[in-house]
Amino acid sequence: MNRLQHKVAVITGGNSGIGFATAQLFIAEGAQVIITGRNKESVDKAVAELGQSAKGIVSDTGSMKDIKQLQAQVAAIHPAIDIIFLNAGVAKFSPIENADEAFFDEQFDINVKGSYFTVQQLLPLLKEGSSIVLNTSINAHIGMANAAIYAASKAAQLTLIRNLSAEFLSKKIRVNAVSPGPVTTPLYGKLGLSEEQLSATASGILSSIPVGRFGTPEEIAKTVLFLASDDSTFLLGAELIADGGMSTL
Ligand SMILES: NC(=O)c1ccc[n+]([C@@H]2O[C@H](COP(=O)([O-])OP(=O)(O)OC[C@H]3O[C@@H](n4cnc5c(N)ncnc54)[C@H](OP(=O)(O)O)[C@@H]3O)[C@@H](O)[C@H]2O)c1
């Protein structure tokens, strides 16, 4: 299939999980891909696995200094781009009693501020007809203990898709979102939970997924491909929920 033939995509946080699976699928569909990530070693490893159609940039979505360098770094590889998948994100769970300002700021800085200013900086490189996809979360719609700040950051991302779609109408740039339910990725090991808490959280989550399993990164990548490609040209400010029925059944 060549649904992304001659397209250039930037995928933030493309060195792991959903971002990496999406990079693989985009390349299989003919795209040139630039992935970002914070860690040079994992970015280099991912680029080596992805092959010649991939390039990597070490860039921290939580750092304005890094974001302001991104336009020049991307332009040095490809002068124009067609797709941005704003996937870089962190999830940290904590009871409110233990949360501090740094806990709050980290998630809003990376998930919300980072997404917004990445779009601002890459906007001059986006061609007419481009597609921006945000990786939000089913947590924006449901109540889950200890997940309030992560959920609020994802809900804020959802407001970006509608408002930026309105703002970019004249540029013919579409902004949409995929909201995954639980997906098997390294994210769960980074929640800040002990092994025991993680195991209890995972069982609780599993019992709330009607299809009886976590999703795979590849299943989310296919949804992102639809939103990124010209198959979805009538979708603006739309959210596709891919959650195994968690929020609806
Ligand atoms: N897995 C799920 O169940 C699930 C459900 C709903 C939504 N999501 C969303 O999906 C997205 C991807 O998560 P994932 O599940 O694929 O987990 P993951 O494997 O941990 O991937 C997250 C990616 O984001 C990168 N990242 C984090 N902070 C960054 C920063 N400041 N600058 C640049 N890159 C950064 C990570 O790189 P590092 O290696 O540097 O940390 C990693 O490549 C996240 O936005 C997450 O909220 C996941």
Side-chain angles (χ1 to χ4, degrees):
M1 296 290 282
N2 289 312
R3 272 178 286 183
L4 299 183
Q5 195 74 43
H6 308 304
K7 305 257 188 191
V8 175
V10 174
I11 300 178
T12 65
N15 52 315
S16 176
I18 296 167
F20 182 74
T22 304
Q24 285 182 309
L25 183 59
F26 279 13
I27 289 168
E29 292 286 343
Q32 297 291 313
V33 168
I34 299 173
I35 62 163
T36 73
R38 285 180 286 196
N39 179 283
K40 180 168 169 27
E41 203 182 326
S42 61
V43 170
D44 288 348
K45 183 168 174 282
V47 168
E49 277 180 55
L50 290 168
Q52 289 185 342
S53 298
K55 297 278 184 292
I57 296 173
V58 177
S59 181
D60 181 349
T61 305
S63 156
M64 281 303 290
K65 183 169 161 278
D66 282 13
I67 291 175
K68 285 186 173 168
Q69 292 171 3
L70 202 52
Q71 186 188 126
Q73 290 171 316
V74 169
I77 302 170
H78 294 289
I81 60 175
D82 306 274
I83 297 159
I84 308 174
F85 180 35
L86 294 158
N87 165 76
V90 282
K92 298 277 167 73
F93 285 10
S94 171
I96 192 168
E97 292 87 347
N98 299 342
D100 59 14
E101 191 177 357
F103 171 85
F104 184 103
D105 286 346
E106 182 190 5
Q107 295 183 81
F108 269 78
D109 281 352
I110 296 172
N111 299 354
V112 187
K113 187 174 166 188
S115 296
Y116 182 78
F117 284 106
T118 298
V119 173
Q120 181 201 59
Q121 291 301 309
L122 294 184
L123 192 57
L125 305 184
L126 281 171
K127 291 183 200 158
E128 191 174 294
S130 291
S131 171
I132 299 172
V133 183
L134 276 85
N135 196 348
T136 59
S137 173
I138 199 58
N139 282 88
H141 298 285
I142 61 176
M144 186 182 285
N146 306 328
I149 302 309
Y150 174 64
S153 75
K154 292 295 173 178
Q157 284 188 318
L158 276 181
T159 65
L160 293 181
I161 64 168
R162 293 185 277 271
N163 289 283
L164 292 178
S165 281
E167 193 169 330
F168 297 160
L169 269 181
S170 63
K171 298 182 195 300
K172 298 187 167 45
I173 295 172
R174 303 179 295 113
V175 189
N176 294 295
V178 60
S179 288
V183 178
T184 309
T185 71
L187 175 131
Y188 288 89
K190 307 173 191 170
L191 290 175
L193 302 176
S194 67
E195 280 294 319
E196 199 180 330
Q197 289 169 321
L198 187 58
S199 163
T201 303
S203 324
I205 291 175
L206 188 58
S207 66
S208 66
I209 309 171
V211 298
R213 65 171 176 86
F214 278 46
T216 65
E218 292 73 23
E219 286 175 306
I220 306 305
K222 287 177 193 165
T223 311
V224 181
L225 171 64
F226 172 67
L227 292 172
S229 75
D230 291 342
D231 287 345
S232 60
T233 43
F234 205 51
L235 273 74
L236 285 84
E239 176 194 17
L240 293 182
I241 294 177
D243 70 346
M246 189 175 179
S247 61
T248 45
L249 304 181

